[in-house]
Amino acid sequence: MGVALIGAGIGLEVAVAVTSLPTWWAAAGWAIAGLGMGVAYSLTTLTSIQSAPPGGEGAASASIQLANTLGVALGTGVAGAIVAVGAVGLGLAPAIALAELAMLVLCGLTVAVSGRVPSAPVGLDNQTVSANLR
């Protein structure tokens, strides 16, 4: 659900870049994407740490932080390169829309594989997971 919200926010950003929607829609798009990030990051972290073997929680936490940092750096670098190259030939707004479309494709792929993520870590029921989220 979190990644789907991120995708919806990015989709709204694409619409603002390529249509004549008012710019305040861009703020709404990032608010929706931010809500999705809040949902996705916390649940991913919780599931990863609780799925770690006993004593491996620290390694799982470090792996999550490294993956988050590398993901942000890679995504920012790729999007920046698309905008930089695209702005020369297409113009700035279409180049930004192209970068956002690339990120939207990644969101779609993530949603497609998200069914593989367990709803609760092995050995835990949903009630325990819900209690830990509070």
Side-chain angles (χ1 to χ4, degrees):
M1 179 61 115
V3 177
L5 286 170
I6 293 169
I10 292 173
L12 194 51
E13 294 302 314
V14 171
V16 169
V18 299
T19 67
S20 59
L21 280 175
T23 54
W24 65 267
W25 280 94
W30 287 125
I32 293 167
L35 176 64
M37 284 183 226
V39 170
Y41 276 95
S42 60
L43 291 177
T44 303
T45 300
L46 178 67
T47 301
S48 299
I49 290 174
Q50 288 186 338
S51 296
E57 294 87 356
S61 177
S63 298
I64 293 165
Q65 284 189 316
L66 179 62
N68 286 342
T69 302
L70 290 175
V72 168
L74 182 63
T76 302
V78 168
I82 291 170
V83 170
V85 171
V88 174
L90 300 173
L92 186 57
I96 291 172
L98 188 61
E100 290 172 342
L101 283 172
M103 297 307 144
L104 195 55
V105 167
L106 289 176
C107 282
L109 291 172
T110 303
V111 168
V113 300
S114 67
R116 298 182 62 200
V117 176
S119 60
V122 176
L124 293 176
D125 58 14
N126 286 331
Q127 191 173 27
T128 304
V129 172
S130 296
N132 287 335
L133 287 174
R134 290 183 212 143

